[in-house]
Amino acid sequence: MSDTRIIEVTLDEGSIIRRSDDIEQERRVAIRDLLEHNHFAPQREHPDGYTGPYRIHLRVEEGRLVIDILREDRSHLETHVLGLARFRRPIREYFAICDSYYRALRAATPQQIETVDMARRGVHNEASEMLKERLDGKIDVDFDTARRLFTLICVLHIKG
């Protein structure tokens, strides 16, 4: 019986130099929400028929996202590498809008916060759809899983 879900996610901490408290909170929430509810189904069939659950490790190498997929027992199952060139603009936009959002939370009116939050969700949704498309044929994910993975991809791009 298949168990198409992620039970653990780790990030390559070596590629991240620093994170603000706000970004660290985004990371914690994305991981918590991802582990509570996700759909993650690699499309490659394995000789032993393994179909989950999965542990994943995310890292960025030479401008590419590397997704290491592990079995429940932590043995390596497969690795996927995705070019991130198409994500540069959405990542930049997401960082900029998140910065505006966090500043608004501290000093803006509720209407201003709502406006910035709507823009933030729009950028996030668009990038999530793009990620789903890039994973098509490799890993089947639902929209919410793609959203949380995109958040984690952004966290991996934070440099000092």
Side-chain angles (χ1 to χ4, degrees):
M1 184 167 174
S2 67
D3 190 358
T4 55
R5 66 187 171 97
I6 299 167
I7 58 170
E8 179 182 56
V9 60
T10 56
L11 305 180
D12 178 31
E13 297 293 330
S15 67
I16 304 168
I17 297 173
R18 67 155 189 85
R19 290 190 283 251
S20 70
D21 290 341
D22 292 330
I23 297 300
E24 185 59 24
Q25 178 64 15
E26 289 274 328
R27 181 197 63 81
R28 280 191 301 270
V29 169
I31 289 174
R32 182 198 67 216
D33 290 350
L34 182 65
L35 295 178
E36 283 180 7
H37 176 76
N38 68 79
H39 172 74
F40 186 90
Q43 299 300 287
R44 182 181 303 153
E45 288 189 33
H46 298 280
D48 65 355
Y50 189 82
T51 57
Y54 305 97
R55 298 175 190 275
I56 63 169
H57 180 74
L58 304 174
R59 66 184 190 275
V60 174
E61 290 182 0
E62 299 176 2
R64 294 182 179 97
L65 174 67
V66 180
I67 305 170
D68 291 314
I69 303 173
L70 311 173
R71 298 169 190 265
E72 186 173 21
D73 68 4
R74 291 187 169 79
S75 61
H76 183 266
L77 189 62
E78 60 188 78
T79 297
H80 291 279
V81 180
L82 299 176
L84 289 172
R86 291 182 51 202
F87 290 94
R88 284 190 187 114
R89 184 185 55 78
I91 289 169
R92 270 194 315 271
E93 288 176 357
Y94 186 68
F95 280 137
I97 201 75
C98 282
D99 185 50
S100 296
Y101 176 73
Y102 294 127
R103 278 184 286 150
L105 284 176
R106 292 177 182 97
T109 67
Q111 259 185 323
Q112 291 168 323
I113 293 170
E114 185 178 339
T115 299
V116 174
D117 189 44
M118 286 175 56
R120 181 174 81 132
R121 281 182 292 185
V123 169
H124 204 171
N125 289 348
E126 184 178 313
S128 301
E129 287 294 345
M130 188 184 310
L131 180 58
K132 275 186 57 108
E133 289 171 15
R134 295 283 293 133
L135 291 173
D136 189 42
K138 298 172 183 74
I139 305 168
D140 183 46
V141 296
D142 62 13
F143 181 75
D144 289 338
T145 301
R147 276 182 62 85
R148 291 165 185 132
L149 289 173
F150 176 73
T151 300
L152 297 175
I153 292 167
C154 289
V155 170
L156 286 170
H157 277 79
I158 296 171
K159 302 294 182 199

